[in-house]
Amino acid sequence: MENELLNIKNNAMSLILDTNDSEQLEEIKLQFLGRSGVLTQAMKELPKIDPEKRKEVGMLANEVKITIENAISDKEQQLKHTNVRIRLEKIDVTNPGIRPPLGHLHLITQAISEITTIFERIGFTRVRYPEVEWDWYAFEALNFPKDHPARDDWETFFIDTEPNKKFGPMLLTPHTSSGQIREMQDNKPPIKILNLTKCYRRQSDVSHVPMFHQFEGLAIDTNLSIVNLKGVLDYFVKSYFGEKRNARIRPYHFEFTEPSFEVDVSCGVCSGRGCKLCKEGWLEMGGAGMVHPNVLKNTGIDPNKYNGFAFGWGVERVLMMKEGIEIDDLRLLYSNKLEFLEQF
Ligand code: PHE
């Protein structure tokens, strides 16, 4: 039996050593280690051996098995490497390569960095304030009356948690104006910031998404006026939309600014003449105004000494107005559809 085992080992080893072909190696494996392989069959004879010698022969049989297995797997590795090398040698490096697909920033991210740069050029510092906020920052300190519809469950996402004794219920901030309060509470004038962050409202249709972005400018100093506000608006409109576009302000109402304005931008498609995209040549962009004295007071700033202006617009909205497009469903921006995103 011992001799038989040693013969099997020698035969197997010389066959393994000689082969350079993985299919052949697979056959050798079957021939020795397969269910009806030579070694497997020999091992079946073990129980018939004299009990005194069985242990020793059993150990030898195992050793032979392990030696053959290791030799086979070493050879497998060796053949794999040679195959790769042969394949590499066949590559013609003078052929033109396959260009890997190149991605780009999402168009909202592009718009955010463009807007930030425009305001940084005239000294506005980009800041970000919490998206999960207290009612006091989002409404109360901004002079909203208790029964204002924006505080309604249907407009604002409230967080289902214990209200704070001082700051009221917890919510997802529905506009960037809450950042005005945080900024003025923590910093002394002069203040010149751009708060750009995500906002949340219970809305979803072709021109509204429940999560969107706003950018809000706030400037507080000793002698600011509507002229300064209009100057900044004009500057932004020309820088972002182009030299030919104009801004205008219309009287409006917000709780936290007085006077308040709605800002319009001349239509890029009809150049202000009037077309089906705009209202008589103008597109509505968003709100602005002079910071209400009550808001200054609520954050500990003396309204007799300081004043300022604020404006807040939607990133998605200005982006659509700039492209003059036809993103006919705003929800597409967040659909992750490459067919759409690759066009920009
Ligand atoms: N917060 C207002 C909105 O979401 C916009 C605004 C900002 C208006 C600043 C005036 C001043 O509609």
Side-chain angles (χ1 to χ4, degrees), residues 161-301:
T161 185
E162 201 53 32
N164 181 286
K165 281 204 185 70
K166 196 164 155 214
F167 300 123
M170 193 185 268
L171 44 78
L172 296 183
T173 187
H175 56 179
T176 37
S177 301
S178 47
Q180 287 191 33
I181 305 298
R182 291 222 170 244
E183 178 67 30
M184 288 193 276
Q185 186 184 261
D186 297 344
N187 298 287
K188 289 201 166 30
I191 287 170
K192 222 168 150 192
I193 52 117
L194 185 78
N195 177 29
L196 194 162
T197 191
K198 292 192 189 83
C199 300
Y200 303 84
R201 290 185 198 173
R202 293 177 65 132
Q203 54 186 18
S204 181
D205 57 47
V206 289
S207 54
H208 296 93
V209 276
M211 191 273 312
F212 58 103
H213 297 78
Q214 277 193 347
F215 57 107
E216 178 128 355
L218 175 71
I220 306 287
D221 212 328
T222 44
N223 234 331
L224 294 174
S225 76
I226 298 173
V227 176
N228 300 107
L229 168 61
K230 183 62 170 38
V232 171
L233 300 183
D234 285 339
Y235 162 76
F236 173 73
V237 168
K238 302 243 178 254
S239 313
Y240 184 72
F241 295 104
E243 279 302 320
K244 291 200 180 110
R245 310 283 286 270
N246 294 310
R248 76 170 183 191
I249 51 177
R250 273 183 292 118
Y252 201 70
H253 172 78
F254 293 103
E255 309 295 338
F256 40 94
T257 44
E258 184 58 40
S260 302
F261 309 102
E262 184 84 341
V263 183
D264 294 337
V265 178
S266 59
C267 178
V269 173
C270 64
S271 308
R273 268 173 270 119
C275 68
K276 60 181 178 150
L277 196 78
C278 61
K279 268 190 206 153
E280 291 160 5
W282 296 92
L283 295 153
E284 281 174 28
M285 187 158 76
M290 301 305 290
V291 178
H292 198 292
N294 286 351
V295 175
L296 294 172
K297 254 188 264 166
N298 288 340
T299 56
I301 291 178

Side-chain angles (χ1 to χ4, degrees), residues 19-29 79:
T19 182
N20 270 322
D21 179 277
S22 22
E23 267 174 44
Q24 209 176 9
L25 186 66
E26 198 54 34
E27 273 167 30
I28 299 172
K29 197 172 173 179
L79 291 180

